[in-house]
Amino acid sequence: MILVTGGAGFIGANFVLDWLADCDEPIVNLDKLTYAGNLENLAALQGEARHVFVKGDICDRALLERLMAKHKPRAIVHFAAESHVDRSIHGPSDFIRTNIEGTFMLLEVARAYWNSLDENAKTDFRFLHVSTDEVYGSLEPNAVPFAESKAYEPNSPYSASKAASDHLIRAWHHTYGLPVVTTNCSNNYGAYQFPEKLIPLVIANAMAGKPLPIYGDGQNVRDWLYVTDHCAAIRTVLAQGRPGETYNVGGWNEKTNLDVVNTLCEILDELSPSSLGSYKRLITYVKDRPGHDKRYAIDARKLEQELGWKPAETFETGIHKTVAWYLDNQPWVDNVLSGAYREWETLNYGLRR
Ligand code: NAD
Ligand code: DAU
């Protein structure tokens, strides 16, 4: 049994689905179901005995203790977080609470549980912390990609909260010996991503005939990785990663935001043409994100050379699959865009116009 936190969100749900398709080991999935958590992502698992879903908060110590005592997991894979940079700028407190205090609580409960195990189980136990390349800060155009040795220079409330959680993870290994591993991954895309993030937002807006908002000049660079490749990397690090180590995960796919949006428009023009002409007509430049990091790029050679992981998808194959998934799953999009999402859209984009 493994304990997954945040397994109803974008990457966590992909991880849970892939894991249960791949092996027999059951999962207990703890998720608070915030606006970003969606049980529809896990609809394929209805009636699946190997998936135990628990609605709850990683800040709830008593709940965490009960879950550890009852399920006795051999590992924790920790995805649960507030994950959207723009939301962290508008309201950082949930980010401090979940990403820092929640990770602290999980570490404390994991430490007590780990101390109660026999020597073999103690050696085999793992706490895998899922983190981000944003902790490293922003790169100049010609600077080398982030290696694991790069100093932390987080710039947004989100990345600062993730950096703080990474430091807690490191310290719990160094001080208490807890067998932790951390992954720092670049921008993910794929099925089930909440349409507040660039790629699903652009697809959803294009389908609705709405503007495709580009922050600033569209020349900021992100390094894109298809979500199932990230999930495969996490499985690899869980199985083979050395306790106390960190592993960068990335797809060697640096693209400007404008290139990504143009590519999305071209695929949509092919798969779902509009009678009004190319979707590129909807591209709209809006006020920049405050403190907007210019460029991220990941050097993933350690993971490749030490543990043999490589991405299976290129950007071209992954982005085609992603657009096709959103076009085939319009009811999923309609459901997540209803209700509270409308308030966020008004808050974030109303101010930029
Ligand atoms: P997401 O926002 O889609 O999902 C987060 C999940 O965590 C949701 O299901 C939510 O309900 C749950 N959650 C939030 N607060 C919680 C709490 N207090 N207790 C229990 N559950 C809670 O996020 P994502 O994009 O799937 O990211 C997952 C993890 O991967 C995060 O830790 C994020 O920092 C990291 N990451 C994301 C990316 C990316 O491109 N999306 C890249 C690198 C790393
Ligand atoms: O790098 C990993 C990180 O990638 C993860 O840790 C975060 O959880 C994840 O949200 C993502 O952060 P970004 O800020 O890079 O992703 P987002 O999709 O919000 O934005 C991608 C780029 O597109 C960024 O440069 C901002 C820009 N953008 C975004 C939105 C939502 C726009 O130009 N317009 C938009 O409307």
Side-chain angles (χ1 to χ4, degrees):
M1 172 72 89
I2 63 167
L3 170 66
V4 167
T5 70
F10 163 48
I11 306 173
N14 276 283
F15 179 86
V16 169
L17 292 169
D18 287 0
W19 178 278
L20 293 175
D22 215 53
C23 75
D24 290 332
E25 190 172 11
I27 286 180
V28 55
N29 180 356
L30 172 64
D31 195 297
K32 189 180 175 185
L33 297 182
T34 67
Y35 79 93
N38 184 354
L39 284 180
E40 270 191 63
N41 301 352
L42 302 165
L45 298 177
Q46 254 175 17
E48 173 53 77
R50 292 172 303 153
H51 180 238
V52 180
F53 182 80
V54 178
K55 182 175 188 293
D57 193 326
I58 57 165
C59 299
D60 182 344
R61 182 178 203 130
L63 172 63
L64 293 175
E65 285 170 348
R66 278 202 306 278
L67 289 179
M68 298 301 278
K70 181 169 176 195
H71 297 286
K72 303 191 173 18
R74 68 158 179 102
I76 296 174
V77 183
H78 177 34
F79 293 95
E82 289 292 337
S83 69
H84 190 34
V85 173
D86 293 318
R87 286 188 193 253
S88 81
I89 294 167
H90 285 284
S93 64
D94 284 348
F95 289 72
I96 304 304
R97 183 177 179 278
T98 287
N99 300 0
I100 305 178
E101 292 174 25
T103 300
F104 162 68
M105 201 53 81
L106 198 56
L107 276 169
E108 277 297 80
V109 172
R111 178 165 75 94
Y113 167 76
W114 177 72
N115 273 325
S116 74
L117 297 174
D118 67 37
E119 280 315 307
N120 285 342
K122 261 180 118 167
T123 308
D124 291 345
F125 186 79
R126 289 289 178 277
F127 185 125
L128 190 148
H129 176 56
V130 180
S131 193
T132 170
D133 60 359
E134 298 200 12
V135 297
Y136 295 126
S138 181
L139 286 169
E140 291 302 320
N142 296 319
V144 294
F146 301 128
E148 288 81 357
S149 53
K150 165 79 176 63
Y152 273 32
E153 292 179 297
N155 290 317
S156 71
Y158 163 71
S159 55
S161 69
K162 290 296 289 189
S165 69
D166 291 9
H167 291 323
L168 293 174
I169 297 284
R170 176 190 156 88
W172 260 241
H173 174 72
H174 194 83
T175 304
Y176 304 114
L178 190 69
V180 302
V181 272
T182 296
T183 53
N184 293 91
C185 188
S186 61
N187 284 60
N188 283 215
Y189 66 100
Y192 303 114
Q193 187 167 29
F194 195 86
E196 62 186 354
K197 310 282 167 63
L198 181 69
I199 288 180
L201 177 104
V202 163
I203 301 170
N205 280 17
M207 287 298 91
K210 286 162 54 173
L212 312 181
I214 305 262
Y215 295 169
D217 61 5
Q219 294 308 310
N220 299 65
V221 171
R222 296 293 182 266
D223 184 351
W224 294 94
L225 182 71
Y226 192 60
V227 63
T228 56
D229 279 328
H230 186 190
C231 295
I234 292 170
R235 291 198 302 275
T236 302
V237 174
L238 185 63
Q240 302 171 48
R242 284 181 290 133
E245 291 291 318
T246 66
Y247 296 88
N248 282 350
V249 189
W252 304 100
N253 279 314
E254 285 185 62
K255 308 270 174 209
T256 66
N257 294 336
L258 194 54
D259 280 346
V260 169
V261 175
N262 276 320
T263 300
L264 289 170
C265 290
E266 284 156 21
I267 300 171
L268 286 167
D269 286 342
E270 181 194 320
L271 298 183
S272 183
S274 159
S275 59
L276 300 172
S278 171
Y279 290 102
K280 289 182 186 172
R281 74 184 190 284
L282 297 172
I283 289 176
T284 307
Y285 291 89
V286 299
K287 196 161 168 254
D288 208 353
R289 173 185 279 174
H292 197 174
D293 283 340
K294 191 67 192 165
R295 172 177 167 238
Y296 305 140
I298 272 283
D299 177 347
R301 281 177 298 179
K302 176 177 174 185
L303 181 53
E304 186 180 331
Q305 287 165 7
E306 283 189 18
L307 308 186
W309 172 87
K310 257 189 188 176
E313 302 288 343
T314 62
F315 186 69
E316 288 65 34
T317 58
I319 201 74
H320 266 89
K321 284 187 187 178
T322 303
V323 174
W325 187 87
Y326 280 90
L327 293 179
D328 290 345
N329 288 276
Q330 193 61 44
W332 181 94
V333 177
D334 293 341
N335 279 350
V336 296
L337 291 184
S338 62
Y341 181 74
R342 297 199 190 289
E343 288 160 33
W344 164 250
E345 216 182 3
T346 310
L347 177 66
N348 191 42
Y349 295 100
L351 291 172
R352 291 178 196 276
R353 280 184 198 119

